[in-house]
Amino acid sequence: MNVSEAVREELGEKHVYRVSGFTCAGCANKFEKNVEKLEHVIDAKVNFGALKITVYGEASVQEIEQAGSFENIKIFPEKQAVLYEKDPFLKWYGSLLISAFFLVTGFLFYYLYEENSPQTIIAFAASILIGGYSLFKAGLKNLIKLDFDMKTLMTIAIIGAVFIGQWSEGAVVVILFAISEALESFSMKKARQSIRSLMDIAPKEALIRRNGKEFTAEADDIEINDVLIVKPGQKIAMDGIVIKGISAVNQAAITGESVPVEKKVNDAVFAGTLNAEGLLEVNVTKRAEDTTIAKIIHLVEEAQAERAPSQAFIEKFAKYYTPIIMVIAFLVAILPPLFGTGSFHTWLYQGLSVLVVGCPCALVISTPISIVTAIGNAARNGVLIKGGIYLEEMGALRAIAFDKTGTLTKGTPVVTDFINLEESLTDTELFSWLAALEYRSQHPLASAILKKAELEQISYKDVIVENFTSITGRGIQGTTNGETLYIGSPALFTENLSMKLPSVLQLQISELQSEGKTVMAAGTAEKLFALFAVADEVRENSKIVLEKLQGLGIGKTIMLTGDNEATARAIGKETGVTEVRSQLLPEEKLKLVKALKAEYKKVAMVGDGVNDAPALAASSVGIAMGGAGTDTALETADVALMGDNLSKLPFTIKLSKKALAIIKQNITFSIGIKLAALLLVIPGWLTLWIAIFADMGATLIVTLNSLRLLRVRDR
């Protein structure tokens, strides 16, 4: 059954559970189908990577667990912590070790006595029964129901081996299949660790102040407006705003930044980050389940449920693959003896070997383990990829469009040039007057002047300004020290005040404007006192990032902005984008993204996750900057760069390309080794040993190949 998300939401009956007991991806798919068949269940969706199942409809815990009885699956409420990794070693591998002991004993008896001696057969039989108990339990149930999965194939093959007297090979098949499953289980645990480690980042309790009293409280019991008291060396338990203290906070767990960030009063801090130096008091702004780290964990878990195109292909392929293998095995066992080209015993053995080599373990695990590993590695490095489909899309990008403000630039204007034209006034005196006037202005550029005054510790708040007036579209004016001062664009002085500017000043203004800066002038109605330029600074790493992207095969990088052409051209030249489009309205940006997509097919749009939402939505992948600071970015973007750091973009594309390459390698190798082994049937060379080594070897190789994604670093 394939029910759309919209229909599911209309049904309203949604229950999410954590799952314990999965041993393989194929078992997870079977569990999903079994739950879907329950009487009052509309649909079910298993998230193998996050070990969760979402059930749409009504079903009791007992009914759902019964649907997974073939694997002894247990389910728990989503909010309940499940310690998957804490089971003792012997519980997981005890039967495998005992089975291996009897296998070795069997071979010892084989050489001491003879192949079919009672001692040898008993030892091999014990190895088969102990090591294959869970396999046979599931396989025989499936066989009765005519449900042919990989465990059914293996059960038939082992029973067949015993039937024709191949006790030793039957025992070896059991052991190697158990090792193969253990490898698959281990590899998925390893892949999940990147995500599971996020769950342990935030402390479970914290020292808080509530109603004037200080006490230690569980994180789940901490309320909004409680005050966290965070000592040096402690982790911050909740999202909040600093109300007292200054410190350096290591935010690597959230943003991937390796360098601690200074935090002072009114700065935001996140749960799970480490307070390195000073004592901080933090006003809690979110409950435990709403913190940034909680949202990251939830979204990363959900991301694993989104099947990538390659994963969907494999699942569809495996659906037809297993029955085809059954038919081939049957034909191999029956046809040659009927045509007199060999004994029934010989070709039955070959048919059983086909069943074993046809086991699709490696093929089924090849894609999900790569996706889970890559998404987990990205999350650990401060990048949230919200599904396997976006992981694959990122690896196939051919063009990237950038919003200018806050993406290629810092998004905050700064004073870049200050030219004092009045010899009788010092720079400090003149800037103090300018700041005093701008302090009363609401213009966006005023913040740049005030920021420079505060940075250089220039006093301006005690300067008396009278008759302050805003001149619409031109600037401001006010009286200080008995003199009326004007601040505004050069046009304010040349047009409103009819001042004739010397050619030298006109040249200076033109040069500054050609550099993409906004030029302001200050003075009286008779003469200019100063020129200053304000600009949105380009990020220090923008040019390096663009160079890295070109090195990764991104041939087209285009900057989209609503700024004027001169500013856009100057910033485009400084950053190194291949094309600049300026003076754009949001709907024009949307049209451009659609045009890029038509030409290049795979196109990303990078913005702040709040503005330009239509363009972000229209792209193949919408990438938001600064996801740690905005809920909107986390919720709307396909990929969120958690820190306000553009350098994470090349890392993400490199990781995605590597994941795509590894998925293709895994699929090609898994199918190739099966075909190669099956060709050995023609000369009659295929044995159970070769079959199981081909299957287990393929599983081991695709597993180790996928885990290489953990080694991709942000460099």
Side-chain angles (χ1 to χ4, degrees):
M1 187 182 299
N2 186 15
V3 181
S4 71
E5 194 64 35
V7 172
R8 288 169 176 161
E9 288 179 7
E10 283 181 21
L11 295 170
E13 300 292 342
K14 176 180 174 181
H15 307 278
V16 183
Y17 303 96
R18 295 198 177 273
V19 183
S20 172
F22 284 149
T23 58
C24 63
C27 306
N29 291 337
K30 183 177 178 182
F31 177 52
E32 179 179 277
K33 289 177 186 143
N34 287 353
V35 174
E36 284 177 355
K37 292 174 185 174
L38 294 176
E39 186 177 356
H40 298 294
V41 171
I42 309 300
D43 196 16
K45 191 175 182 184
V46 164
N47 183 338
F48 181 56
L51 295 175
K52 291 164 79 172
I53 182 169
T54 303
V55 180
Y56 298 88
E58 288 296 332
S60 67
V61 169
Q62 290 76 17
E63 287 176 317
I64 297 171
E65 288 184 343
Q66 183 59 37
S69 60
F70 65 95
E71 278 282 289
N72 197 28
I73 286 169
K74 300 294 179 187
I75 64 169
F76 309 87
E78 183 185 21
K79 300 292 182 184
Q80 181 177 327
V82 184
L83 302 177
Y84 302 102
E85 260 63 55
K86 301 299 183 182
D87 288 317
F89 178 84
L90 287 177
K91 180 177 178 181
W92 283 103
Y93 306 111
S95 61
L96 176 59
L97 292 174
I98 296 169
S99 179
F101 169 77
F102 279 110
L103 177 67
V104 172
T105 304
F107 277 111
L108 184 63
F109 289 157
Y110 182 93
Y111 291 109
L112 286 177
Y113 303 103
E114 59 183 37
E115 183 178 351
N116 293 317
S117 69
Q119 299 96 320
T120 306
I121 291 174
I122 289 170
F124 284 137
S127 178
I128 290 170
L129 290 172
I130 294 169
Y133 174 75
S134 60
L135 167 66
F136 299 143
K137 186 178 176 183
L140 290 171
K141 278 185 182 177
N142 295 343
L143 191 56
I144 292 167
K145 297 176 184 176
L146 298 179
D147 183 1
F148 298 108
D149 65 0
M150 63 184 75
K151 291 195 174 182
T152 315
L153 299 185
M154 298 303 294
T155 300
I156 295 171
I158 294 163
I159 291 173
V162 169
F163 177 74
I164 61 176
Q166 297 291 336
W167 291 92
S168 60
E169 295 199 27
V172 170
V173 168
V174 166
I175 288 289
L176 293 180
F177 183 74
I179 292 171
S180 177
E181 282 209 315
L183 282 171
E184 186 177 334
S185 177
F186 169 79
S187 63
M188 283 306 296
K189 286 178 186 177
K190 186 76 175 172
R192 291 181 186 116
Q193 277 175 3
S194 297
I195 295 147
R196 186 133 324 122
S197 61
L198 293 174
M199 297 181 181
D200 300 323
I201 286 174
K204 302 296 183 283
E205 59 181 26
L207 179 64
I208 68 166
R209 184 187 302 125
R210 184 187 297 166
N211 300 325
K213 295 181 180 179
E214 292 184 8
F215 57 94
T216 300
E218 296 287 328
D220 289 341
D221 297 329
I222 296 175
E223 299 173 0
I224 293 173
N225 291 326
D226 283 346
V227 176
L228 291 179
I229 300 167
V230 190
K231 298 174 183 177
Q234 288 185 336
K235 284 186 176 180
I236 298 168
M238 310 289 284
D239 284 12
I241 302 294
V242 177
I243 57 173
K244 187 177 180 181
I246 299 175
S247 183
V249 174
N250 187 330
Q251 299 187 144
I254 304 292
T255 65
E257 297 168 286
S258 57
V259 180
V261 178
E262 184 185 57
K263 296 292 181 180
K264 55 186 184 300
V265 175
N266 293 329
D267 284 345
V269 292
F270 308 109
T273 56
L274 179 66
N275 178 24
E277 297 174 356
L279 180 73
L280 291 178
E281 293 191 7
V282 177
N283 185 58
V284 176
T285 56
K286 294 178 182 177
R287 292 188 56 81
E289 62 269 21
D290 298 322
T291 60
T292 300
I293 189 67
K295 286 186 176 180
I296 292 172
I297 292 166
H298 177 73
L299 289 170
V300 170
E301 287 187 335
E302 292 303 304
Q304 295 172 63
E306 294 297 323
R307 288 172 169 84
S310 58
Q311 190 172 354
F313 162 75
I314 288 299
E315 288 177 4
K316 191 172 182 180
F317 179 82
K319 181 180 177 183
Y320 301 103
Y321 172 85
T322 305
I324 289 170
I325 287 293
M326 293 285 293
V327 172
I328 292 172
F330 178 76
L331 294 176
V332 166
I334 297 297
L335 290 182
L338 288 178
F339 289 97
T341 57
S343 68
F344 175 75
H345 181 281
T346 300
W347 286 104
L348 176 59
Y349 179 79
Q350 290 287 298
L352 295 174
S353 300
V354 169
L355 284 182
V356 174
V357 82
C359 187
C361 296
L363 190 62
V364 172
I365 196 70
S366 62
T367 303
I369 189 173
S370 301
I371 289 169
V372 171
T373 304
I375 288 175
N377 187 12
R380 197 172 56 188
N381 283 280
V383 179
L384 178 59
I385 301 173
K386 294 174 71 174
I389 185 170
Y390 304 117
L391 179 72
E392 291 198 10
E393 293 277 8
M394 285 290 288
L397 289 178
R398 294 179 57 207
I400 302 179
F402 295 88
D403 181 36
K404 177 186 77 71
T405 307
T407 302
L408 293 174
T409 65
K410 293 180 179 178
T412 52
V414 294
V415 176
T416 57
D417 301 85
F418 179 69
I419 304 168
N420 187 346
L421 304 173
E422 180 54 55
E423 294 179 358
S424 64
L425 293 172
T426 66
D427 287 0
T428 301
E429 288 173 326
L430 184 54
F431 210 86
S432 177
W433 288 2
L434 300 182
L437 259 70
E438 293 289 7
Y439 182 57
R440 290 154 177 82
S441 170
Q442 298 298 316
H443 195 279
L445 297 182
S447 62
I449 295 169
L450 298 179
K451 189 183 294 181
K452 182 175 174 65
E454 289 170 0
L455 191 65
E456 298 185 5
Q457 297 183 331
I458 297 172
S459 175
Y460 61 87
K461 291 183 181 178
D462 55 351
V463 176
I464 298 171
V465 176
E466 298 174 328
N467 304 320
F468 177 83
T469 307
S470 176
I471 305 168
T472 305
R474 295 295 192 188
I476 57 175
Q477 72 177 70
T479 303
T480 179
N481 293 332
E483 196 164 21
T484 300
L485 294 177
Y486 296 86
I487 302 176
S489 65
L492 169 65
F493 292 88
T494 57
E495 296 177 17
N496 291 47
L497 301 176
S498 303
M499 186 184 293
K500 185 173 177 59
L501 298 182
S503 57
V504 175
L505 284 183
Q506 289 179 11
L507 183 61
Q508 280 184 304
I509 291 169
S510 296
E511 286 177 352
L512 289 170
Q513 287 176 335
S514 69
E515 293 171 7
K517 299 170 182 176
T518 301
V519 180
M520 309 284 284
T524 64
E526 290 76 32
K527 65 182 295 189
L528 288 185
F529 285 175
L531 287 177
F532 57 96
V534 176
D536 183 3
E537 278 189 308
V538 172
R539 292 179 184 272
E540 294 86 351
N541 60 358
S542 288
K543 187 174 180 62
I544 297 170
V545 167
L546 268 294
E547 288 172 354
K548 284 184 178 179
L549 291 176
Q550 288 166 7
L552 287 166
I554 307 298
K556 181 77 168 181
T557 52
I558 180 170
M559 185 181 78
L560 310 179
T561 179
D563 271 355
N564 64 70
E565 188 177 346
T567 300
R569 194 167 53 244
I571 290 175
K573 184 178 180 182
E574 190 174 348
T575 57
V577 292
T578 58
E579 188 178 344
V580 173
R581 293 295 184 93
S582 59
Q583 295 176 303
L584 298 174
L585 297 172
E587 55 267 28
E588 292 172 322
K589 290 183 182 181
L590 174 60
K591 286 179 183 176
L592 273 170
V593 169
K594 286 182 176 178
L596 280 171
K597 202 172 176 184
E599 183 178 354
Y600 292 94
K601 307 304 180 189
K602 303 294 183 184
V603 176
M605 172 73 188
V606 187
D608 60 8
V610 181
N611 300 322
D612 306 314
L616 284 165
S619 61
S620 307
V621 185
I623 303 170
M625 294 279 291
T630 60
D631 289 344
T632 308
L634 281 176
E635 289 164 8
T636 61
D638 303 320
V639 174
L641 310 181
M642 299 306 294
D644 196 21
N645 187 354
L646 197 62
S647 68
K648 298 292 177 183
L649 184 56
F651 159 73
T652 308
I653 292 175
K654 181 172 74 171
L655 178 66
S656 301
K657 283 181 176 292
K658 187 80 170 176
L660 265 181
I662 283 177
I663 286 169
K664 288 175 183 175
Q665 290 165 12
N666 286 350
I667 292 172
T668 303
F669 179 76
S670 299
I671 295 174
I673 199 169
K674 302 288 183 188
L675 291 174
L678 288 173
L679 288 175
L680 294 177
V681 171
I682 298 170
W685 295 346
L686 184 61
T687 67
L688 285 172
W689 291 69
I690 293 174
I692 194 63
F693 270 116
D695 179 63
M696 189 188 76
T699 302
L700 177 60
I701 289 170
V702 301
T703 295
L704 295 177
N705 197 34
S706 298
L707 291 178
R708 286 196 300 133
L709 289 166
L710 289 172
R711 297 169 58 189
V712 179
R713 293 286 179 263
D714 179 16
R715 291 191 180 94

